[in-house]
Amino acid sequence: MTEYRIPSERREQLLRDGYTLLPNAVPDSLLARWRDLASALEAAALQAHGRAEQLHGACVIEDPAGPRVMRYDDVLGADPDAALDLLACPAMMAVARELCGRGAVPMYMDLLYKHQHPHPVILWHQGAQHPRGYPYLNVGLYLDDADAGDGCLRYVPGTQNELQDIAGLAKEYGWDIPGSVEQPARAGDILVQDMMVLHGSQPKRSPNPRRTVYVEIRPTDGIAESGAQSAGWAALRARWMAMVVRRAAATEWPDEWHVDLPSDLRSDADEIASILANPEPPIPAVYCVHPVETDDYPVPADLRDA
């Protein structure tokens, strides 16, 4: 028996609305480990920035409040064991198995930081535009709480099936597009979204950064369908998934699916070195061609002078 099953209503919500929340899905010990790692990576990135050095994967920006870490990409290379253990935990295996399906592989794994305003706002956008023949999921694993009214994600349910008039909607409605909803989350929750659902997030009002690990997951047939990355790059993702599966409990991956994964894996260090040495860019998200700004969007009026 598998250790984690996704309720049918959550699977149905993802298909209908383009997102769903899996509460308390990350084991406490793994959550604590990742919180410590996120703090250590943030400190290392800021120290390197202070020396005018650049760490691989680290993005430090100069906010009006000073230098702050915005993201740390390729966390697979920063702490391979932590990355593989997180992907191999029962809830993430269920996401790959039940929501993405046969051939599911991790494509990217990055750590994002959201700081108190002033800090870049996540404008209304849709993730990677792609053919709709296969699932393409963006999975957020929350290391900190994302409270309602404090810059948590906002969604417009049901917008994932085609490109939206983002500029027109933002200009007319700002953050209050009809039907839009906030989706708060707690530390340890997993928020799964269809890449193309319309979403964004307002400024964070409270202090202390909110850290979220984001993993893009897609079947290898879907990668081939989009044609945005090479077959060699996709093959490396299958090797990445094979590393995850060999860490996971044997019951977490269907026996008949093992034939889809390479059986000639080398050490984790060697496999990860190959993955990091052969990067290819993701399919870009879709934003407004000309950014929209109104009295209350993207920065609410009461924060304009903050």
Side-chain angles (χ1 to χ4, degrees):
M1 292 287 293
T2 57
E3 297 182 42
Y4 190 100
R5 298 288 297 181
I6 297 174
S8 60
E9 60 268 22
R10 300 290 180 180
R11 298 196 298 270
E12 292 165 3
Q13 184 192 20
L14 177 64
L15 292 174
R16 180 186 68 247
D17 296 339
Y19 68 95
T20 195
L21 184 76
L22 306 179
N24 195 30
V26 179
D28 289 344
S29 59
L30 193 54
L31 175 62
R33 181 178 169 191
W34 265 92
R35 286 170 61 90
D36 288 344
L37 175 59
S39 296
L41 292 176
E42 182 181 20
L46 290 173
Q47 289 169 5
H49 181 76
R51 300 190 299 268
E53 298 174 0
Q54 176 66 45
L55 293 182
H56 175 80
C59 175
V60 179
I61 62 171
E62 290 288 347
D63 273 350
R68 295 199 282 195
V69 179
M70 189 167 186
R71 58 188 300 142
Y72 205 114
D73 294 340
D74 291 337
V75 288
L76 177 65
D79 191 328
D81 284 327
L84 292 173
D85 286 346
L86 188 59
L87 292 173
C89 79
M92 280 300 292
M93 293 300 290
V95 168
R97 184 182 64 244
E98 299 178 31
L99 300 183
C100 199
R102 186 164 185 167
V105 297
M107 300 173 66
Y108 304 95
M109 187 176 189
D110 307 317
L111 175 60
L112 273 63
Y113 298 76
K114 183 162 186 170
H115 297 272
Q116 185 178 30
H117 179 77
H119 188 74
V121 178
I122 308 303
L123 304 171
W124 284 123
H125 68 285
Q126 293 179 274
Q129 183 183 3
H130 62 277
R132 304 289 301 169
Y134 297 89
Y136 191 171
L137 305 178
N138 195 21
V139 184
L141 301 101
Y142 279 77
L143 307 183
D144 304 288
D145 294 348
D147 295 325
D150 194 31
C152 68
L153 278 172
R154 290 185 72 93
Y155 289 106
V156 185
T159 52
Q160 67 273 16
N161 294 309
E162 61 185 8
L163 288 180
Q164 305 295 317
D165 177 13
I166 302 174
L169 290 168
K171 185 175 181 179
E172 183 171 1
Y173 300 109
W175 287 113
D176 297 317
I177 294 173
S180 63
V181 295
E182 283 194 310
Q183 178 56 71
R186 309 294 291 178
D189 290 353
I190 293 177
L191 184 53
V192 184
Q193 68 184 44
D194 185 299
M195 285 293 289
M196 282 184 61
V197 69
L198 182 59
H199 64 289
S201 67
Q202 293 177 284
K204 186 175 186 292
R205 295 172 178 268
S206 64
N208 301 319
R210 177 160 66 240
R211 293 83 52 88
T212 311
V213 182
Y214 281 102
V215 183
E216 292 187 23
I217 300 179
R218 195 165 193 209
T220 51
D221 285 347
I223 298 173
E225 179 190 47
S226 286
Q229 290 96 9
S230 69
W233 185 90
L236 287 172
R237 268 61 205 164
R239 301 188 75 83
W240 186 355
M241 190 64 193
M243 285 189 286
V244 173
V245 168
R246 76 177 174 186
R247 266 193 199 226
T251 55
E252 296 291 356
W253 206 242
D255 289 341
E256 63 271 22
W257 291 9
H258 283 271
V259 298
D260 302 330
L261 298 173
S263 58
D264 60 343
L265 284 185
R266 302 163 295 169
S267 69
D268 288 348
D270 287 341
E271 295 293 348
I272 291 169
S274 294
I275 291 169
L276 297 179
N278 294 277
E280 294 186 18
I283 302 172
V286 180
Y287 290 84
C288 300
V289 175
H290 300 291
V292 172
E293 185 170 353
T294 69
D295 290 343
D296 215 40
Y297 177 89
V299 178
D302 68 304
L303 291 177
R304 287 296 172 96
D305 297 325

